[in-house]
Amino acid sequence: MTNLADAAPLPSLLRETRRFALFVLLALMVIGFWHVQPAFIRSANLFSILQAVSVVAILGVGVSITMAADGFDLSVGSVAASSVMAASYAMVVWQMDAAGTIALVLLMGALIGLANGLLIVRVGVPDLLATLATMFLLAGLQLIPTGGRSITAGMLLPDGSTVPGAYDPAFLILGRSRLFDLVPMSVVVMAVVAFLAWFLMERTRWGRVFYAIGGNETAAHLSGAPTKAYRLSAYVISGALASLGGLIVASRVGRGDVSAGNSLLLDAVAASLIGYAVLDKRRPHVIGTVVGAIFVGVLLNGLTMLNAPYYTQDFVKGVVLVGALAATFGLGKKR
């Protein structure tokens, strides 16, 4: 006769350990770096880490929402980079103010997401191919208006004219100001986005339908859910969040840098995938994505303070990603 204890999936203690393993590792990393380099634990450095990962977390939330609906958005990095250039062009060349620029760029991101969604939902192009095509399209398109040069006040356009405008000082608040002279505004934006997205995905029927579509789109459709509209909205949200991330980058650097956003796609995807291991969800979710971004940010910041070579960062990210996914899905087979 089979012992009931042996038939249990996993002991309760082991399940709880797996649920909070990434939090335990994060705490151990902080303690370890603090022991080796006491300056690591200073509030200025901790908020610097959060500021560094804020854009990655925002983009990662958008990627996670598309993944929840059984999709994948490879264009977020290019949307963010194009938003940096678009915001700079709007203020420096068109002399728009901060409010108009922000509204224009967010609308642009939402429209790009809508175009992705229509290609996937209406035309039937696979999500990876559609968003990959958009990624290449935007990567080239953002360079055409300026002839491949970064946008700065007083620069020359390809037609030989000099741009008349400059960055609106009010726009720079988004990336350079601090709340109570302590918390970077980009961190506040990240927290607001994370809370709203978490509430939407975990506490509303709308979010539950997203996960139902990701689990079985046919079953969700037969139950009466407008699956195409939901999948379309996922890409619109992802595009808008990517543009928001680009706006933060633009306000932080204060110029239209053609190299801005080069690593954002890989970092955002890594944060989303590492999030699978958070709380042992084994699915995309907002809290996991934010924790994944912070986890990588703490690791890279600590290695930088210990003078580790910069060229090891991608290797370290890969090791963390492989380890998190192997632990999540490998051990999960025992369930």
Side-chain angles (χ1 to χ4, degrees):
M1 186 174 181
T2 304
N3 191 315
L4 293 179
D6 294 336
L10 276 176
S12 177
L13 179 60
L14 182 56
R15 284 201 302 269
E16 292 303 308
T17 301
R18 286 185 55 205
R19 284 191 66 193
F20 298 100
L22 207 65
F23 292 101
V24 173
L25 289 176
L26 182 59
L28 290 175
M29 275 201 310
V30 171
I31 294 172
F33 288 134
W34 177 31
H35 177 72
V36 178
Q37 178 56 264
F40 179 84
I41 203 67
R42 291 177 182 171
S43 59
N45 186 59
L46 295 179
F47 280 118
S48 174
I49 294 173
L50 292 177
Q51 184 178 32
V53 304
S54 59
V55 174
V56 171
I58 290 171
L59 268 65
V61 168
V63 173
S64 296
I65 291 175
T66 61
M67 291 169 67
D70 195 28
F72 204 93
D73 191 353
L74 287 175
S75 68
V76 290
S78 289
V79 174
S82 297
S83 298
V84 173
M85 299 296 285
S88 303
Y89 200 89
M91 285 182 287
V92 175
V93 179
W94 293 343
Q95 303 182 66
M96 294 179 64
D97 61 8
T101 298
I102 292 173
L104 176 66
V105 173
L106 289 177
L107 177 61
M108 181 194 77
L111 290 176
I112 294 173
L114 178 63
N116 279 334
L118 290 174
L119 281 174
I120 296 164
V121 174
R122 296 296 182 185
V123 181
V125 180
D127 49 6
L128 291 177
L129 297 181
T131 55
L132 182 67
T134 302
M135 180 185 76
F136 284 118
L137 176 66
L138 294 176
L141 182 61
Q142 66 174 326
L143 303 177
I144 293 175
T146 62
R149 291 171 292 178
S150 298
I151 301 176
T152 57
M155 68 172 289
L156 291 176
L157 293 175
D159 61 4
S161 62
T162 303
V163 295
Y167 260 63
D168 186 343
F171 179 78
L172 301 177
I173 294 175
L174 185 62
R176 298 184 181 182
S177 66
R178 291 177 177 265
L179 187 64
F180 307 121
D181 291 327
L182 180 64
V183 185
M185 191 59 64
S186 58
V187 176
V188 176
V189 174
M190 177 190 71
V192 171
V193 168
F195 174 77
L196 293 177
W198 167 82
F199 184 82
L200 172 70
M201 298 298 292
E202 304 292 340
R203 292 292 184 269
T204 67
R205 179 184 179 278
W206 204 69
R208 288 192 290 272
V209 173
F210 267 118
Y211 287 119
I213 294 171
N216 191 322
E217 184 177 357
T218 302
H221 175 72
L222 292 176
S223 67
T227 56
K228 290 185 178 181
Y230 272 85
R231 295 192 67 197
L232 194 65
S233 64
Y235 287 98
V236 172
I237 294 172
S238 180
L241 290 180
S243 283
L244 177 60
L247 286 169
I248 293 174
V249 173
S251 61
R252 186 183 301 166
V253 300
R255 59 180 297 197
D257 193 343
V258 294
S259 63
N262 284 347
S263 65
L264 288 177
L265 169 62
L266 296 180
D267 290 346
V269 171
S272 301
L273 294 178
I274 291 172
Y276 275 61
V278 176
L279 299 177
D280 198 24
K281 293 281 190 178
R282 297 206 297 149
R283 62 171 172 82
H285 62 115
V286 174
I287 297 300
T289 297
V290 175
V291 172
I294 294 174
F295 186 89
V296 175
V298 167
L299 181 60
L300 296 183
N301 180 271
L303 292 175
T304 300
M305 294 190 74
L306 296 179
N307 296 319
Y310 73 93
Y311 49 80
T312 62
Q313 291 190 0
D314 286 338
F315 173 76
V316 171
K317 283 188 239 181
V319 170
V320 171
L321 180 57
V322 170
L325 294 178
T328 301
F329 292 98
L331 294 178
K333 291 179 180 178
K334 297 180 181 179
R335 283 186 156 182

